Amino acid sequence: MIVTTKKLFEAAYGKYAIGAYNINNLEQTMGLFRGNLDSQAPFIIQISKGARSYTHKLMLEGLIRSAEDVFPDAIFAVHLDHGDEQSCYDCVDSGFYSSVMIDASHEDFDTNIAITRRIVDYAHAKGVVVEAELGQLGGVEEHVSVSESDAKLTNPAQALEFVERSGCDSLAVAIGTSHGAYKFAGSQALRLDVLAEIQKALPGFPLVMHGSSSVPQEEVERINQAGGKIKGAKGVDASQFKRAAQLGVTKVNIDTDGRLVWTRVHREHFLDHPENFDMRPPGKVFMAEYAKFIADKNEKLGSAGQLEAVRKILVSAS
Ligand code: 13P
């Protein structure tokens, strides 16, 4: 069942966070649905602009619609990750996405609000909810000076005005994470103090943490032992997810960790079976490993075991 992220956030707020997983292909789709059902968790499928153009934007839509038939018990939202204006309009018009993210965080404050407001008005008229971003991730670890890096974090003093004027349904906040496998290269850690300030400014409002892969060291080591060259990779301490959830984080974005699982499985498979030239044997291993990875992540987020409670809320509201 496809629902809006708003419905999922109402059930989760203050108690647990929902995993938002980026997918690109069939094997990830299968592993994602299996892992979430194995752990009895509601979830969010994230489709990025890059994923939409990897083959054709309708391909992933077709896969997910099929997965909905194959796994009728699943409860999930379909979300555009890091959309620009045009991709947001396109996804809203598709009638398939239940949620879009407009990322105008690189713009100045007023322009970010104006762009977000346009998307909110358009999306809400069609029953689609909107995530916006205030503050900026990415490259945070490349900033040496504390004041410069602080300038990238979400300013709690601007949060209420941003939400009121833009009308967004959830807010992605920059609290020290960054996208990719190389986080916290300096001395930075997750800024839960900043998060607490944002929650104070926006009590009860759903917050989103981007750049939240953990980049498990054993995964990186296995990749490197099988011929990879990933050096100095570092991620978010997953034991902090539950604290972040108490501070208002309802959605945690994870992409890189899934890519690492894919890389490890395929590197190890072809190292162990150099004679193989069939994509299905590693594909099967990947689907099982990805499902395991998702179920484990949901335990850390606290969303594992929440599926039936969410279903009850949805049924009683309908
Ligand atoms: P990671 O690169 O940490 O997985 O973050 C993904 C993300 O935030 C997608 O929006």
Side-chain angles (χ1 to χ4, degrees), residues 27-49:
E27 288 78 8
Q28 274 184 310
T29 307
M30 286 301 287
L32 179 72
F33 276 79
R34 279 187 194 154
N36 282 299
L37 284 178
D38 288 349
S39 58
Q40 290 288 289
F43 62 104
I44 297 165
I45 298 179
Q46 299 215 115
I47 303 177
S48 67
K49 270 180 69 186

Side-chain angles (χ1 to χ4, degrees), residues 22 46 81-82 101 137 178-181 183 209-215 253-257:
N22 289 68
Q46 299 215 115
D81 191 26
H82 291 286
M101 176 196 190
L137 274 80
S178 58
H179 295 114
K183 308 182 203 300
M209 245 170 73
H210 281 243
S212 297
S213 279
S214 299
V215 192
N253 287 11
I254 292 158
D255 184 7
T256 298
D257 282 349

Side-chain angles (χ1 to χ4, degrees), residues 211-233:
S212 297
S213 279
S214 299
V215 192
Q217 290 310 291
E218 60 283 7
E219 197 76 281
V220 174
E221 269 162 36
R222 283 176 71 174
I223 290 170
N224 287 342
Q225 271 166 19
K229 281 195 179 131
I230 302 176
K231 301 268 182 267

Side-chain angles (χ1 to χ4, degrees), residues 103-157:
D103 183 358
S105 61
H106 49 283
E107 303 282 358
D108 63 59
F109 185 66
D110 286 316
T111 311
N112 188 356
I113 289 175
I115 294 171
T116 303
R117 182 83 241 178
R118 281 202 289 277
I119 299 300
V120 166
D121 290 342
Y122 194 81
H124 282 184
K126 300 197 178 186
V128 175
V129 299
V130 179
E131 174 184 320
E133 181 164 334
L134 180 62
Q136 233 188 325
L137 274 80
V140 172
E141 76 273 23
E142 286 155 19
H143 288 75
V144 181
S145 133
V146 172
S147 59
E148 265 184 55
S149 59
D150 265 347
K152 293 268 183 192
L153 299 181
T154 300
N155 180 353

